Amino acid sequence: MPFIRLENEKLISESNSILINYVKNFGALVEKNNNQDHFEISQNSTELELTNFIAENSGNWNIAVNRKSDNIYSNEHWLYTESDFTDYKKLNFGIEECLISFSLQEVYFEYCGNNVKANSELNLKPLWIDKRYCSNERTHSFYYDSEYKALKFNHSDNNFERIAFIK
């Protein structure tokens, strides 16, 4: 979904320069895959003037940005509370942290091999540790080996055993 082909570019405010640059330089390259969360700009009908920009792979929740500020919101909490799907909660961290966590997660899932597990030859070093993504919880940690271009993803609820070897 190249930026120039968005139906309504006004969905992203010019004040959201970080998101605009992401869309132009990386977000449009993240292939939409039903097994992964995906980058998808869409109108949000709430009165908070929100634009959805990340959709969970099953459509269970979205991450949105306020068109007048860089504040981000998520409705992910409706899955485990008595709130409604349309109830968006402000996230207490910046759009940069969200986009980096999202990007690393998507790169990991794009390149992880089905049966490739960590081995003793890898020298995985901390890359992005205890960061946030779709909630205020610090769930995402990534480790990287530059020699083998190996990426390991640890989630606070799920330690993935596979290794992504980035081409």
Side-chain angles (χ1 to χ4, degrees):
M1 179 174 55
F3 183 73
I4 55 171
R5 297 186 64 202
L6 289 176
E7 289 182 21
N8 183 356
E9 293 178 20
K10 300 283 187 222
L11 289 177
I12 304 173
S13 167
E14 288 184 22
S15 69
N16 297 114
S17 60
I18 294 164
L19 185 54
I20 287 176
N21 287 333
Y22 180 87
V23 174
K24 288 180 177 177
N25 298 314
F26 184 77
L29 302 176
V30 177
E31 203 171 303
K32 186 173 177 178
N33 179 326
N34 288 335
N35 297 320
Q36 297 173 239
D37 298 349
H38 50 272
F39 189 78
E40 184 176 289
I41 303 293
S42 64
Q43 182 70 50
N44 184 310
S45 60
T46 68
E47 50 201 47
L48 293 173
E49 297 196 38
L50 299 178
T51 298
N52 293 332
F53 65 95
I54 294 177
E56 190 266 341
N57 63 358
S58 300
N60 287 323
W61 52 260
N62 295 296
I63 299 175
V65 64
N66 181 291
R67 285 191 291 277
K68 294 182 178 178
S69 70
D70 281 335
N71 294 329
I72 57 174
Y73 296 77
S74 173
N75 64 347
E76 182 253 1
H77 63 279
W78 86 272
L79 293 168
Y80 51 87
T81 66
E82 293 185 17
S83 62
D84 187 271
F85 180 76
T86 60
D87 178 32
Y88 279 71
K89 186 183 214 178
K90 184 179 176 189
L91 299 175
N92 297 318
F93 57 96
I95 196 168
E96 301 96 336
E97 186 173 347
C98 173
L99 289 172
I100 292 169
S101 296
F102 165 72
S103 300
L104 287 170
Q105 174 181 285
E106 298 316 296
V107 166
Y108 171 81
F109 283 117
E110 179 69 24
Y111 290 101
C112 65
N114 289 332
N115 298 312
V116 182
K117 295 187 178 185
N119 63 44
S120 59
E121 292 179 29
L122 294 178
N123 185 17
L124 296 163
K125 297 188 187 239
L127 177 66
W128 188 247
I129 305 302
D130 293 328
K131 301 300 181 179
R132 296 164 289 193
Y133 172 45
C134 60
S135 73
N136 286 314
E137 302 299 319
R138 295 182 177 276
T139 57
H140 283 54
S141 292
F142 294 89
Y143 301 85
Y144 187 68
D145 178 315
S146 58
E147 182 182 351
Y148 291 99
K149 295 186 171 95
L151 183 67
K152 172 92 172 115
F153 176 26
N154 285 341
H155 188 281
S156 61
D157 295 330
N158 186 358
N159 288 326
F160 300 98
E161 294 299 319
R162 296 178 290 171
I163 298 292
F165 289 95
I166 314 304
K167 296 178 185 179

